[in-house]
Amino acid sequence: MTEGRGPATVRVRAAGKINLTLRVGPRRPDGYHPLATVFQAVSVYDDIEVRHAAPRTFPVTVSGPQAHLVPTDGRNLVVRAAELLAEAYGDPGRLGARIAIRKAIPVTGGMAGGSADCAGALLALSVLWDLDVTPAELADLGGRLGADVPFALMGQTAFGAGRGDELVPVLSRGTYHWVLALADFELSTPAVFGRFDQLNPHPPLPPVQPPAELLEALASGDPVRLSRVLVNDLQEAALDLRPGLARTIAAGRDAGALASVVSGSGPTVAFLAASESAAIDLSTALSGAGVCRTVKRVTGPVPGARLLS
Ligand code: C5P
């Protein structure tokens, strides 16, 4: 075991996200798509706990209702995060860690759960190993691991350009109440982007700034205004791959949601409610409609990955 100067155990909580707007441009030669998105971090969390382990070993355990869907070998982004962090800022021959993930963010659900775990692991390990690394350097490292990792570190509300990793914070007033419909199936992000390409052979380049109406809605704190500007260019592709999602969306609208939007590449659907009590009513009605695996009530915005005492 390699015990550094840091603590024996470090715990970090990392939030999932939804995209309030997601505009997608033409596929780039590197396979990524230029985006213009506004992320909001919401109150569904994965907890990441790290402890020292033998050098160069990174055993991962995952718990939670969908744990069986998460790889615990080198395919898990947290292992790559640990290796990269040790190489870039530590002495890789001396560093190892056990990484325990307690998952509540839906797996492959369009809420950047894997990126949240990656962000959580980067932050937790930087403390465990007592590394000299700044938040900006962690975000840069995170961006090399996945396009959504920098936002998972930052949290709150932010405009994302480039691959979604060039971030500018956005002012947001108040708290928004969402009801999430979690699907009983997964959608692969590359598959949804691939279908987007087929359905949109020549999409325009995404805007370089967030839409003014969205900024105004967020600054006002009025959910009705926000409900008018939610948009996701990937929604058509997600629905094309999983037509049953249309029933979920219709059920939420019928149950009184102000608006709905597929989160990222889906299949999670986020319904915006007018108030906390409206969200409670909406989640009850949606649960009874039998159109998804489970219903979860969340609020946003919330902070990004942060240390738990
Ligand atoms: O960066 P990350 O590994 O999370 O992205 C997963 C996949 O999603 C990419 O391999 C790519 O197929 C797609 N993607 C994209 N354009 C983006 C972000 C992700 O095409 N801006």
Side-chain angles (χ1 to χ4, degrees):
M1 299 285 147
T2 304
E3 306 273 342
R5 285 165 296 160
T9 305
V10 178
R11 288 195 304 142
V12 166
R13 178 158 289 178
K17 61 82 186 164
I18 56 181
N19 302 78
L20 305 178
T21 62
L22 177 53
R23 308 316 307 238
V24 181
R27 188 179 183 277
R28 308 190 313 204
D30 67 0
Y32 277 89
H33 294 71
L35 305 181
T37 188
V38 174
F39 295 106
Q40 185 178 93
V42 294
S43 62
V44 54
Y45 302 106
D46 286 358
D47 286 348
I48 297 91
E49 185 179 282
V50 297
R51 294 163 186 271
H52 295 284
R56 295 187 191 279
T57 66
F58 304 101
V60 174
T61 54
V62 183
S63 59
Q66 292 184 299
H68 59 286
L69 297 173
V70 182
T72 54
D73 56 18
R75 286 171 298 162
N76 194 308
L77 219 48
V78 299
V79 174
R80 288 170 43 215
E83 289 168 349
L84 200 60
L85 185 68
E87 301 265 298
Y89 293 98
D91 175 355
R94 288 183 53 238
L95 299 175
R98 280 179 197 291
I99 305 172
I101 303 169
R102 202 171 72 212
K103 280 210 77 69
I105 305 171
V107 176
T108 332
M111 295 191 67
S115 300
D117 299 346
C118 183
L122 287 173
L123 178 60
L125 291 170
S126 70
V127 175
L128 184 79
W129 293 336
D130 196 24
L131 303 179
D132 194 8
V133 52
T134 67
E137 288 168 336
L138 272 192
D140 190 58
L141 210 62
R144 285 156 59 186
L145 291 156
D148 289 339
V149 180
F151 178 72
L153 285 163
M154 180 187 245
Q156 303 294 357
T157 309
F159 177 64
R163 297 179 311 151
D165 54 346
E166 296 165 20
L167 298 172
V168 183
V170 165
L171 174 75
S172 178
R173 198 166 271 122
T175 293
Y176 295 92
H177 297 272
W178 301 92
V179 175
L180 305 176
L182 274 49
D184 55 6
F185 54 86
E186 296 87 54
L187 268 175
S188 137
T189 301
V192 175
F193 274 103
R195 186 54 62 98
F196 170 87
D197 294 337
Q198 289 167 348
L199 294 170
N200 303 277
H202 305 290
L205 281 172
V208 293
Q209 290 192 328
E213 316 83 69
L214 176 64
L215 296 183
E216 285 159 19
L218 288 170
S220 78
D222 178 357
V224 174
R225 286 182 73 177
L226 183 63
S227 73
R228 298 194 189 112
V229 290
L230 302 178
V231 62
N232 179 357
D233 283 349
L234 293 179
Q235 179 156 326
E236 184 193 16
L239 280 163
D240 195 62
L241 290 170
R242 285 290 189 162
L245 277 176
R247 268 184 63 223
T248 311
I249 292 171
R253 295 296 191 98
D254 290 348
L258 292 176
S260 66
V261 69
V262 166
S263 180
S265 55
T268 305
V269 182
F271 295 98
L272 181 58
S275 64
E276 183 174 10
S277 63
I280 293 169
D281 292 345
L282 176 57
S283 67
T284 307
L286 203 55
S287 298
V291 290
C292 55
R293 172 172 64 86
T294 186
V295 172
K296 200 166 178 63
R297 210 152 47 77
V298 298
T299 58
V302 299
R306 64 188 196 277
L307 289 167
L308 296 174
S309 55

